[in-house]
Amino acid sequence: MDIYKLLRNSIQSQINKSEMYGSDCTILSQMIFEKTLRRISSSTIKRFFGLIKCNYKPSKYTLDTFAEFIGYRNWNDFKTCNDDKLITDSTEVSWNILNNRTSRITLRSLSSLKQKTNYKKDEFIFRQQGRKRFEEFEADTLPATLFIAPDGYGKSTILIQLMEEYFLQEDKRYQHDIVCLIDGEIFFDLYFKSGNVDILNDLIEFDINTKQNIFFQKYNELAEGRFWLIIDDFDDVFHKRSDYIQLVENLTHILMMNEGDWFKVILTCRPENIDTFNCVLHKRPFLKSLWFDVDFAHENYIDAINISRLNTTEINALFKLHQIKSLWTDIFSQFDDILGIVSKPYLYSVFIDELKRCKNISEINLLNQLIKAEILSPPLLNEKLSLIEHYVSLCERGQECFWVEKNQLLSETNIAPAYNQLISSGILYEIFKPTNTIDLRIMVNFTQKTILEYIIFLCWLEKNEFTIHLFFEILDYYKSNQIMQHRMMSFFVKTAMHKGDLVIIKRIKDKLLNKTISEKNNHPIYTSECAMDLLSILEELLVKYSELQN
């Protein structure tokens, strides 16, 4: 294929035009200026696309501008990245050519993943569960597997580490294997720039009747090793459900056409999207047997997860790697709830960043940063705020329980996208609960109870001053729920210490000690025995947090 024709095709793909007309050139001229701030006249574009007769080649300025418009740095970059597309005879395709073509996709995807995750090899451990799962899959004859976890669990990081460990070193373990790593978020950017890699075409438009297994016809007999198709964030290739279902269907056809053990597939996805795989595989149940160690019969999204949070051993290793002082080990040993939160790799990185920023970090400070990073951040910030407020209202601030019904939670308009984002990031999760009828209710809860409890405490603070009156109002509200009483007391003490306001704690102690607790309708809110119990808990909290502050 002529290099100019290749450029024309790339531009047309970019603007979704199979043919160019004069009006298209005028529109394209404006689009190019808006994206590149470089001007090309519509007449120049018409000459390039053959709508006006021209006897000379386009200028370097024109070619550089076209190349920048479709995502390259300049014309030379476009030529360098696409020189192998000039092959016109399909019989010339070889294992080495396939390797060259896919390596460009892999390197672009790897760069994208590292940028998104802020991955630095010397700042993160190689997670053994990722290594173990990969090596067991590699040794097995089954062609496909899934790495399933919510956003932030480190799926992308694991793939980066696997790539560096097994496929990209000079003395790589699998010398003759080819790997095509695809970042699902930039799939179509890769697709438009690498349209000569048939596997990308098959993922988007697989026609079993007309394509005649082209990819496998070309490469199955030529295979000198295995071909690895690894797609990170498979969910993000398409956001429209019908398109996503078709993508899974196409992948299923590709697996069906596979003969032998030369073709291996690894996908990462979020647990809620396993339902789509179930929907497709329900038509052909036997295809479930092609998937290595994937449970498609899960009862809820939590059960589908097979990439877990950081365990205690991994967190301790990270502490050593980042040279965290023993004080922080003490904090995590005493507050298991915080350990549970930062065991999510993404949130652990937030913790490290906060520790670097603020040497005297407190638990309240850390919780504020985690909630800001995980919930109170774009996109959909206002919608998430509305959803959280509605959630807290439905569960009555945790007076009796934390569960809410999904249908009730989504009864407010325009919060469904925010809900889906919090499900995807692992903040919320769903379970099915049977009713007295044949229907099932979908109930929703926070994955980390500590985050919800602290959000509830913040809701108390939002409309009330931080006073002794608020302390006893909160305790009275939870008088039938001793666990929440203790949790809210704990947050109250932590907040007071975070603010440096120990006077309010002294006044609360005096009230409890003297049993001069306010009354409602002439009936004591607390008995003398209850007051002493609360005082004992309060003093225990003060001792614990004072030790940590010191």
Side-chain angles (χ1 to χ4, degrees), residues 465-475 492 501 503-512 516 518:
E465 293 184 12
F466 189 70
T467 63
I468 185 173
H469 174 74
L470 176 62
F471 179 86
F472 288 108
E473 182 181 348
I474 291 173
L475 291 190
F492 202 97
D501 185 3
V503 174
I504 192 172
I505 300 299
K506 183 180 183 302
R507 292 180 60 201
I508 291 171
K509 285 179 63 179
D510 290 343
K511 282 255 186 187
L512 290 170
T516 57
S518 60

Side-chain angles (χ1 to χ4, degrees), residues 519-530:
E519 297 182 0
K520 286 185 179 179
N521 302 322
N522 297 321
H523 294 287
I525 298 175
Y526 305 108
T527 64
S528 174
E529 181 180 353
C530 180

Side-chain angles (χ1 to χ4, degrees), residues 57-72:
K57 292 181 180 180
S59 68
K60 186 176 184 302
Y61 174 86
T62 298
L63 295 172
D64 282 342
T65 305
F66 280 144
E68 185 177 340
F69 174 69
I70 60 176
Y72 294 86

Side-chain angles (χ1 to χ4, degrees), residues 433-444:
K433 285 199 172 184
T435 64
N436 294 328
T437 66
I438 61 173
D439 297 325
L440 288 174
R441 284 192 307 163
I442 302 178
M443 305 299 292
V444 184

Side-chain angles (χ1 to χ4, degrees), residues 183-329:
D183 176 3
E185 282 193 4
I186 61 170
F187 181 92
F188 280 96
D189 181 59
L190 298 170
Y191 173 72
F192 288 129
K193 294 177 181 177
S194 309
N196 58 339
V197 178
D198 295 321
I199 193 69
L200 301 183
N201 300 320
D202 285 345
L203 283 168
I204 300 302
E205 298 179 83
F206 190 99
D207 188 338
I208 196 169
N209 296 316
T210 61
K211 293 185 75 68
Q212 297 295 318
N213 196 15
I214 290 176
F215 180 81
F216 298 99
Q217 281 184 352
K218 282 185 178 180
Y219 303 115
N220 195 0
E221 295 181 358
L222 298 172
E224 298 175 13
R226 291 170 299 185
F227 183 92
W228 293 80
L229 176 64
I230 302 177
I231 307 179
D232 187 48
D233 286 334
F234 190 69
D235 320 284
D236 292 330
V237 175
F238 286 112
H239 294 286
K240 187 177 178 182
R241 179 169 171 76
S242 59
D243 291 336
Y244 185 70
I245 290 175
Q246 186 60 56
L247 179 66
V248 176
E249 287 268 16
N250 292 344
L251 179 67
T252 301
H253 286 306
I254 290 172
L255 290 174
M256 289 173 62
M257 303 299 284
N258 176 34
E259 296 180 6
D261 59 357
W262 74 284
F263 188 74
K264 303 284 275 187
V265 175
I266 298 176
L267 311 176
T268 73
C269 73
R270 297 185 288 269
E272 65 269 21
N273 286 314
I274 295 301
D275 288 343
T276 303
F277 283 86
N278 266 324
C279 176
V280 172
L281 296 177
H282 179 72
K283 304 172 186 176
R284 307 179 187 86
F286 71 93
L287 289 176
K288 293 182 180 181
S289 63
L290 298 179
W291 293 86
F292 172 79
D293 192 29
V294 178
D295 180 13
F296 291 103
H298 63 278
E299 294 185 2
N300 57 63
Y301 295 150
I302 298 297
D303 292 340
I305 295 172
N306 59 26
I307 297 296
S308 65
R309 294 169 176 261
L310 297 167
N311 58 40
T312 304
T313 301
E314 290 173 322
I315 290 178
N316 285 334
L318 284 166
F319 280 172
K320 292 179 181 178
L321 184 64
H322 292 103
Q323 299 179 334
I324 296 177
K325 296 179 180 179
S326 59
L327 168 64
W328 293 102
T329 306

Side-chain angles (χ1 to χ4, degrees), residues 316-408:
N316 285 334
L318 284 166
F319 280 172
K320 292 179 181 178
L321 184 64
H322 292 103
Q323 299 179 334
I324 296 177
K325 296 179 180 179
S326 59
L327 168 64
W328 293 102
T329 306
D330 295 338
I331 286 182
F332 281 93
S333 66
Q334 294 189 55
F335 303 119
D336 292 337
D337 45 2
I338 295 299
L339 179 65
I341 293 173
V342 300
S343 62
K344 189 175 178 180
Y346 167 68
L347 294 183
Y348 179 86
S349 66
V350 173
F351 160 67
I352 292 296
D353 290 342
E354 185 62 18
L355 184 58
K356 292 176 180 176
R357 187 188 69 83
C358 179
K359 296 298 181 183
N360 297 318
I361 184 174
S362 68
E363 188 181 358
I364 291 297
N365 189 294
L366 177 59
L367 280 169
N368 286 335
Q369 291 304 315
L370 295 180
I371 290 173
K372 180 180 178 181
E374 195 76 336
I375 301 174
L376 304 182
S377 58
L380 304 174
L381 172 58
N382 292 332
E383 290 84 352
K384 284 186 284 188
L385 284 170
S386 177
L387 183 146
I388 295 299
E389 182 179 348
H390 191 38
Y391 188 107
V392 172
S393 173
L394 287 174
C395 74
E396 297 179 326
R397 299 194 179 193
Q399 190 174 40
E400 294 184 4
C401 73
F402 294 129
W403 291 96
V404 302
E405 192 169 348
K406 180 179 178 180
N407 287 339
Q408 292 181 342

